[in-house]
Amino acid sequence: MKFSEQLEARYSDMLTHYPVKRSLLVPFLLYTQDEFGYVTDDAIEELSRRLEITALEIRNVISYYSMLRTKPGGRYNVQVCTNICCLLRGGEEMLAHARKTLDVAVNKGVTADGVFSVEEVECIGACSWAPAMQVNYDFHENLTPEKIDRILDEYRLKAAQQ
Amino acid sequence: MANLVSHPDEVKVVTKRFGQGAANIDRYLELDGYKAVQKALELGADGIINEMKASSLRGRGGAGFPTGMKWSFVPKESAKPKYVLCNGDESEPGTCKDRLIFEHDPHSVIEGAMIAAIAVGSHDVYIYIRGEYRYLLEIMQKAIADAYAKGFCGKNIFGSGYDLNVYWHGGAGAYEVGEESALMESLEGKRGVPRIRPPFPAVVGLWGGPTVINNAETLASVPHILLMGGKQYAEIGVDRNGGTRLFSLSGHVERPGVYELPLGYSLRKAIYEVGGGIANGRALKAVVPGGSSVPCLKPDEIDISLDFDSMMKAGTFLGSGGIVVLDDQTCIVKFALRTIQFYRHESCGWCIPCREGTDWLSKSLKRFHAGGGVAKDIDNIRYLAENMLGRTFCPLGDAAAMPIIGFVNKFRKEFEAHLDGKPCPYEKHPALSQLAVVR
């Protein structure tokens, strides 16, 4: 398989960071996921070949890190925090609202049009601005149900324009 | 982007450059940037460590270990390369301070890590930032590139003949990786499973080389200490607890936010004056004073000095400085349940007491909160948690057990109020109490 030019450049740069090449694995897997939407079988095979470790070792690493996935999510992954600080300020209600609005019944479920997925996540480091969520890597804080609706509308519009 | 707040009682050392565009290297230079590292090169290893010891700076990640002493443990001679590793995996629930440092003053972390490297004779620095903080990783990548472009990193820094490389590294979502040995495993491209100690990282760390691991806030404090002098920094705080800390105030306070307060500041004042008191005119029920891992304090226990030693004497910890405030409408059982569900999710499963303990505690508390509890469950929950203490490779097991023991000991009546199928007295939405009973 081929990586994009950008991903290839990232790979070559990161190789220079470490005395042992597999050290780039964790952050590079996330960059790979950003490119393909998830960590694909092909990407795992490719990295296994390049880093000279087995595909199993790579899968073993993937299963440990909660941001890495081996199945596609929505184009915009809505990650609502319900950990203690968000809980105290309505995190569960925000999650319920996002699920209901997007009609996603199960955790990590994807909408029928593939635009969104909704995931309940652990603390994202927005405790003083709770309740909070991330859509892909963007933080959205001090949420209310109305604010969530506005944010989702913006992403929906973005998806339609692409 | 997170909002900045301020309060007249704050002593701005680490946050001095916040909101002033210091992520830009030229602006950082105008604000005394990269002066401390040049001073460090003049002072040399022993001189730096003496200043650090005089400052009585203690680790800001949570353990509170004296930084100067930690650096002095690294052997002077080593056959393998030595490393400095900045822990920016901030993920203790209730803690959101390193995020502001990376956003507003990334160069202070680079500079602090460089000084640590000079102090221990290391030529390679890694700055590890959690995966969720992608925008901060990008800020850091640019900051490092800018520092190289100015010739501050790389070969022969500041004409000293000292070579010093700085690298960024990113995580991919794992609380446990904030533990130092798991952090090294993660940086080596593995699952973040902890290592047994000894050997300690100062002797055998990254790729087998001696390694110093410091929290981002600790390292961001270092340049300020060298510029103002260790003694002066120490005087800001209290005995054996030098300087300031970034406290993340969250939960039911009127003005949540990250505030930089001197160590030794009163917890009561932090809640009622800095935080503006309890939101919506309610009363205080409990405060979790150092991130989710520490035992809570009751309202009659908050006249206490925010320093490592006083908090320990009171049976809790200053931890990561995450102060979570709970008002009188909060269900402690529900809060305990959400706390343990987090640790259950984050336990890597390597050590059985943690893997099984967090799972059983989670199941018991879920059943209990749903009204399926019987009287003996209360002691069983405490007994289970107590038997996790000290029986795991890394402190995640302790971190899961300690808050639960605290909740049971201090709020037993609330547990009793849930017994015998009674609905949760605090549940706003009765439907949620109808959770499936797990037996």
Side-chain angles (χ1 to χ4, degrees):
Chain A
M1 74 166 304
K2 269 183 90 83
F3 290 156
S4 70
E5 218 171 283
Q6 199 191 359
L7 195 61
E8 201 62 69
R10 177 76 73 195
Y11 183 85
S12 315
D13 173 50
M14 288 182 73
L15 265 189
T16 66
H17 287 196
Y18 316 97
V20 178
K21 59 184 174 183
R22 85 169 277 176
S23 299
L24 62 73
L25 187 60
V26 175
F28 193 76
L29 280 169
L30 200 51
Y31 281 118
T32 310
Q33 173 167 296
D34 294 341
E35 178 152 320
F36 301 105
Y38 63 104
V39 186
T40 61
D41 289 348
D42 286 349
I44 292 171
E45 286 304 324
E46 180 67 18
L47 280 171
S48 158
R49 191 180 61 74
R50 291 187 186 208
L51 301 177
E52 297 172 87
I53 53 178
T54 63
L56 181 64
E57 279 177 279
I58 295 175
R59 287 181 193 280
N60 203 5
V61 169
I62 292 171
S63 69
Y64 177 87
Y65 294 92
S66 50
M67 291 175 76
L68 298 174
R69 55 176 183 256
T70 50
K71 283 183 197 137
R75 177 182 295 177
Y76 297 109
N77 188 27
V78 179
Q79 304 147 76
V80 186
C81 174
T82 59
N83 207 309
I84 52 172
C85 303
C86 286
L87 174 82
L88 294 177
R89 296 182 81 98
E92 289 191 337
E93 288 78 3
M94 297 308 128
L95 176 67
H97 182 78
R99 278 187 181 157
K100 193 171 152 225
T101 307
L102 296 173
D103 194 20
V104 172
V106 295
N107 195 28
K108 301 187 186 184
V110 184
T111 54
D113 59 6
V115 174
F116 292 104
S117 45
V118 185
E119 185 177 353
E120 179 179 14
V121 293
E122 297 297 353
C123 184
I124 53 176
C127 316
S128 292
W129 312 285
M133 67 177 186
Q134 276 189 288
V135 179
N136 294 350
Y137 293 109
D138 299 335
F139 279 87
H140 299 280
E141 294 159 339
N142 299 310
L143 295 174
T144 60
E146 297 71 37
K147 194 168 171 184
I148 290 179
D149 289 343
R150 281 201 304 274
I151 292 164
L152 295 179
D153 280 346
E154 281 169 29
Y155 285 105
R156 205 174 276 122
L157 193 67
K158 237 196 222 175
Q161 285 165 350
Q162 276 166 357
Chain B
M1 301 263 164
N3 298 334
L4 292 179
V5 285
S6 74
H7 186 272
D9 283 2
E10 280 189 286
V11 177
K12 298 202 182 237
V13 178
V14 172
T15 59
K16 195 157 78 179
R17 302 190 189 96
F18 283 18
Q20 299 194 51
N24 177 299
I25 194 164
D26 292 315
R27 184 73 187 124
Y28 183 71
L29 287 169
E30 284 169 16
L31 299 166
D32 296 330
Y34 290 104
K35 281 186 185 158
V37 65
Q38 296 179 62
K39 190 171 175 191
L41 287 163
E42 288 165 24
L43 283 172
D46 293 339
I48 301 169
I49 289 177
N50 285 340
E51 285 298 326
M52 296 310 295
K53 285 184 174 166
S55 76
S56 63
L57 173 69
R58 293 168 70 168
R60 301 307 193 221
F65 195 83
T67 307
M69 201 190 293
K70 186 183 254 188
W71 293 2
S72 70
F73 289 158
V74 177
K76 288 228 183 312
E77 302 298 325
S78 167
K80 290 195 169 176
K82 300 183 228 181
Y83 299 100
V84 169
L85 173 50
C86 166
N87 186 347
D89 189 58
E90 174 167 76
S91 33
E92 173 82 5
T95 319
C96 47
K97 63 187 179 66
D98 295 341
R99 200 176 139 190
L100 294 184
I101 298 174
F102 289 129
E103 183 172 330
H104 292 277
D105 203 4
H107 287 285
S108 69
V109 179
I110 299 175
E111 195 178 356
M114 288 172 73
I115 295 166
I118 296 162
V120 302
S122 155
H123 301 279
D124 297 287
V125 165
Y126 290 91
I127 297 174
Y128 187 118
I129 298 179
R130 69 180 294 192
E132 290 85 347
Y133 287 180
R134 172 60 66 86
Y135 80 103
L136 300 171
L137 182 65
E138 285 168 2
I139 290 172
M140 184 54 72
Q141 286 165 338
K142 181 175 187 307
I144 293 173
D146 291 347
Y148 270 100
K150 295 262 187 203
F152 299 163
C153 309
K155 290 225 175 297
N156 187 22
I157 59 167
F158 302 100
S160 62
Y162 201 92
D163 299 344
L164 187 40
N165 288 306
V166 179
Y167 305 104
W168 55 267
H169 190 88
Y175 166 73
E176 190 184 13
V177 163
E179 190 278 328
E180 59 177 17
S181 71
L183 184 70
M184 295 189 292
E185 288 288 300
S186 179
L187 183 39
E188 291 183 10
K190 302 172 197 163
R191 291 170 73 90
V193 168
R195 299 177 184 174
I196 198 152
R197 278 142 291 179
F200 289 95
V203 183
V204 181
L206 268 177
W207 304 293
T211 304
V212 161
I213 302 152
N214 285 126
N215 173 258
E217 184 189 348
T218 309
L219 291 173
S221 308
V222 169
H224 298 290
I225 291 171
L226 283 201
L227 289 183
M228 72 166 72
K231 195 162 167 289
Q232 203 188 328
Y233 179 83
E235 280 166 7
I236 300 171
V238 289
D239 188 36
R240 299 202 298 135
N241 288 267
T244 60
R245 274 202 86 164
L246 273 62
F247 290 98
S248 317
L249 266 178
S250 68
H252 299 137
V253 279
E254 200 61 57
R255 288 193 299 271
V258 178
Y259 299 90
E260 182 169 16
L261 297 167
L263 282 173
Y265 196 79
S266 148
L267 175 58
R268 176 180 296 278
K269 280 171 74 181
I271 297 169
Y272 284 96
E273 292 182 25
V274 179
I278 313 303
N280 303 317
R282 289 184 182 165
L284 176 68
K285 175 179 276 187
V287 49
V288 180
S292 63
S293 306
V294 310
C296 66
L297 293 171
K298 293 179 82 167
D300 60 357
E301 297 173 309
I302 62 168
D303 287 303
I304 186 173
S305 154
L306 287 166
D307 67 77
F308 289 102
D309 305 313
S310 303
M311 297 296 274
M312 255 174 108
K313 251 182 245 157
T316 185
F317 298 95
L318 190 60
S320 64
I323 300 176
V324 188
V325 176
L326 283 65
D327 73 16
D328 56 1
Q329 295 301 303
T330 311
C331 172
I332 290 290
V333 178
K334 173 88 183 257
F335 192 83
L337 168 62
R338 188 61 187 87
T339 302
I340 201 65
Q341 281 174 331
F342 166 67
Y343 291 101
R344 179 187 174 276
H345 181 263
E346 299 300 330
S347 175
C348 73
W350 184 253
C351 311
I352 294 165
C354 176
R355 181 183 72 209
E356 296 299 311
T358 53
D359 192 43
W360 277 101
L361 284 173
S362 178
K363 282 177 179 156
S364 302
L365 282 164
K366 186 174 181 187
R367 171 167 55 80
F368 202 97
H369 185 252
V374 292
K376 69 176 183 188
D377 283 335
I378 304 176
D379 285 325
N380 275 345
I381 287 169
R382 195 180 59 184
Y383 176 73
L384 241 171
E386 282 171 353
N387 277 287
M388 291 162 67
L389 294 176
R391 291 189 167 89
T392 50
F393 273 42
C394 88
L396 198 148
D398 294 342
M402 287 189 304
I404 303 304
I405 296 170
F407 291 131
V408 174
N409 285 344
K410 294 189 178 182
F411 290 95
R412 197 179 178 94
K413 279 212 170 70
E414 285 213 13
F415 282 81
E416 288 168 357
H418 284 76
L419 282 176
D420 306 322
K422 285 191 225 103
C424 171
Y426 299 98
E427 203 59 82
K428 281 177 290 180
H429 311 285
L432 282 181
S433 308
Q434 312 301 317
L435 291 171
V437 174
V438 183
R439 284 206 188 261

